[in-house]
């Protein structure tokens, strides 16, 4: 049996679907090595149940909905939205232990979130702040990527954007990203990496936006402010403004601003669901701009996906290799440390529970 520490905490909210994906139909999803089935009741309430029938562990997602109840597709046991078995074919008495686990579930910022840990701790106030996704002052869209890698590799990638220079040179990358100074700060649940690049040429991705929005061509001040919220959410404040117009001092009125919203949910130890969106504060009603930017960011993240999956294959081939760290890894190192602290607290609590039971 493996004695390796878990790679993710369970007492946390994880995005498992976009809100529009969950309808009055059974939707299977795997996260944190758990299989769940999601659906909405006829009144629109979200339900998340363990995707395994109490009787013979057949996936409930292979069954059907009858009203708001789930009918197992193997032997016809029926479960209500609380996970209680309410009917067993060919018998009147229902075994009182017949139930499946129901998970706390919530809907916020266009995502459906599920809490896999202690339900008594599932406070909706702990859902990460991704409000730009549903704020009328911002426009944009996103997608989900199924990445075949440890979710922490995606976090590493997002916390250190110097890779843009080398992986995304045709769109958002430029030498200044790799060479500009940066600052790292951290708290109990957050890590922030800030980088300003003054009086530079805008890369193609941003040059097109500032010209479209402001009719400006020329030098810009560019910023990247990365905020990690444990265990797996990163909101990146990005943009460019006319050089010298005051953006570093707080005046962004002569610039264009975007937020790259990322929440990465572990599926297994070596696969993850990567939910992302790019939101902007200009050209709010131009659907063509939303489509153009969504497709552009999709291409950028496709380049990341190829690198991350190759990295995971190399890690699998060299399981004893220790990572080496550079200065630019500071944000990612702090993010991993906060995750490890969350996992360690859960492990200590679990060990205490076992001692009390024993």
């Amino acid at each position: 049996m493996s004695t390796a520490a878990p790679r993710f905490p369970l007492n946390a909210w994880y995005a498992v679907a976009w809100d529009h994906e969950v309808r009055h139909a059974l939707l299977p999803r795997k996260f944190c090595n758990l299989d769940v089935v999601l659906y909405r009741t006829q009144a629109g309430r979200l339900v998340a149940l363990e995707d395994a029938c109490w009787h013979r562990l057949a996936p409930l997602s292979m069954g059907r909905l009858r009203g708001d109840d789930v009918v197992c597709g193997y032997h016809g046991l029926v479960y209500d939205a609380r996970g209680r078995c309410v009917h067993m074919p060919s018998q009147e008495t229902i075994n009182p232990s017949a139930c499946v686990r129901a998970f706390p579930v919530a809907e916020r910022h266009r995502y459906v979130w599920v809490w896999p840990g202690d339900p008594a701790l599932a406070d909706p106030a702990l859902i990460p702040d991704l409000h730009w996704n549903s704020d009328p002052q911002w426009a944009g869209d996103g997608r989900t990527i199924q990445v075949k890698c440890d979710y922490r590799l995606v976090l590493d990638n997002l916390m250190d954007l110097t890779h843009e220079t080398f992986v995304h040179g045709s769109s958002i990358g430029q030498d200044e990203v790799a060479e500009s100074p940066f600052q790292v700060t951290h708290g109990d649940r957050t890590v922030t990496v800030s980088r300003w690049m003054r009086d530079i040429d805008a890369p193609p991705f941003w040059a097109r936006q500032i010209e479209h929005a402001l009719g400006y061509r020329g030098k810009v001040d560019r910023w990247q402010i990365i905020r990690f919220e444990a265990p797996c959410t990163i909101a990146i404040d990005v943009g460019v403004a006319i050089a010298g117009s005051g953006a570093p001092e707080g005046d962004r009125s002569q610039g264009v601003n975007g937020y790259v919203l990322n929440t990465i949910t572990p599926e297994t130890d070596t696969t993850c669901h990567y939910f992302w969106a790019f939101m902007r504060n200009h050209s709010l009603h131009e659907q063509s701009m939303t489509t153009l930017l969504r497709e552009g960011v999709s291409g950028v993240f496709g380049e990341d996906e190829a690198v991350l999956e190759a990295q995971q294959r190399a890690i699998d081939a060299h399981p004893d290799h220790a990572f080496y760290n550079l200065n630019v890894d500071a944000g990612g190192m702090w993010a991993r440390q906060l995750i490890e602290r969350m996992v360690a607290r859960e492990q200590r609590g679990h060990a205490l529970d076992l001692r009390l039971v024993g």
Side-chain angles (χ1 to χ4, degrees):
M1 178 180 294
S2 172
T3 58
R7 302 184 184 190
F8 38 79
L10 295 180
N11 288 326
W13 290 103
Y14 290 96
V16 296
W18 289 83
D19 52 7
H20 64 80
E21 292 183 276
V22 185
R23 305 184 299 276
H24 187 63
L26 299 178
L27 175 68
R29 188 116 314 160
K30 190 180 191 73
F31 81 114
C32 296
N33 289 318
L34 299 167
D35 291 299
V36 298
V37 59
L38 306 163
Y39 67 95
R40 292 184 189 272
T41 66
Q42 294 173 106
R45 184 170 68 87
L46 286 166
V47 178
L49 301 177
E50 182 180 9
D51 193 14
C53 180
W54 167 87
H55 176 223
R56 288 291 188 267
L57 297 182
L60 291 178
S61 56
M62 296 179 68
R64 61 183 176 86
L65 283 175
R66 187 174 70 192
D68 290 338
D69 297 336
V70 180
V71 181
C72 177
Y74 193 16
H75 292 104
L77 278 73
V78 181
Y79 299 89
D80 65 17
R82 300 170 299 169
R84 299 293 309 178
C85 182
V86 294
H87 175 72
M88 290 181 171
S90 303
Q91 62 185 71
E92 295 182 3
T93 302
I94 297 175
N95 188 315
S97 70
C99 63
V100 296
R101 183 180 176 188
F103 295 86
V105 60
E107 184 173 6
R108 191 168 296 178
H109 312 316
R110 294 181 64 191
Y111 296 128
V112 172
W113 305 81
V114 177
W115 181 282
D118 182 349
L121 303 177
D123 182 355
L126 296 175
I127 294 174
D129 180 14
L130 295 174
H131 72 272
W132 302 270
N133 234 354
S134 51
D135 188 327
Q137 299 302 310
W138 295 81
D141 201 1
R143 285 181 173 155
T144 310
I145 309 172
Q146 304 303 123
V147 191
K148 297 180 180 66
C149 76
D150 183 326
Y151 80 108
R152 294 172 299 180
L153 296 182
V154 185
L155 299 178
D156 292 342
N157 173 274
L158 293 167
M159 295 302 289
D160 169 25
L161 296 182
T162 61
H163 77 272
E164 289 183 358
T165 302
F166 313 102
V167 180
H168 311 305
S170 65
S171 55
I172 58 176
Q174 58 190 141
D175 290 343
E176 288 83 356
V177 178
E179 300 300 333
S180 295
F182 60 93
Q183 293 182 327
V184 180
T185 59
H186 61 88
D188 292 337
R189 291 190 62 204
T190 63
V191 181
T192 302
V193 180
S194 303
R195 176 183 285 106
W196 281 90
M197 296 152 277
R198 299 173 186 253
D199 195 27
I200 64 171
D201 293 323
F205 180 84
W206 287 111
R208 287 192 294 269
Q209 289 190 66
I210 196 169
E211 181 178 3
H212 181 81
L214 303 178
Y216 175 75
R217 296 182 182 181
K219 298 287 186 178
V220 298
D221 294 330
R222 181 182 181 187
W223 66 90
Q224 296 173 330
I225 303 171
I226 310 161
R227 185 179 185 275
F228 166 79
E229 186 170 350
C232 57
T233 299
I234 296 175
I236 310 178
D237 175 0
V238 290
V240 295
I242 296 172
S245 62
E249 292 73 38
D251 179 7
R252 299 184 182 181
S253 61
Q254 298 185 61
V256 287
N257 196 176
Y259 267 86
V260 187
L261 307 179
N262 314 270
T263 188
I264 301 92
T265 297
E267 179 185 41
T268 67
D269 288 348
T270 55
T271 60
C272 59
H273 307 286
Y274 180 3
F275 296 91
W276 66 265
F278 180 82
M279 309 301 293
R280 67 185 187 278
N281 71 342
H282 65 90
S283 312
L284 298 183
H285 303 293
E286 296 185 23
Q287 181 59 42
S288 60
M289 177 63 71
T290 296
T291 301
L292 180 68
L293 292 176
R294 185 191 63 219
E295 297 307 308
V297 176
S298 290
V300 169
F301 285 170
E303 295 171 334
D304 286 319
E305 183 181 1
V307 171
L308 292 167
E309 292 188 350
Q311 186 183 9
Q312 183 65 57
R313 290 192 295 271
I315 290 170
D316 293 341
H318 303 86
D320 297 325
H321 179 79
F323 280 4
Y324 295 94
N325 293 307
L326 307 175
N327 289 341
V328 294
D329 296 311
M333 290 168 63
W334 270 111
R336 283 183 175 244
Q337 189 169 129
L338 294 187
I339 294 169
E340 289 166 5
R341 289 177 183 176
M342 293 180 72
V343 171
R345 284 196 295 269
E346 290 186 10
Q347 294 296 100
R348 288 196 297 271
H350 180 64
L352 178 60
D353 289 343
L354 290 176
R355 287 198 296 270
L356 291 175
V357 170

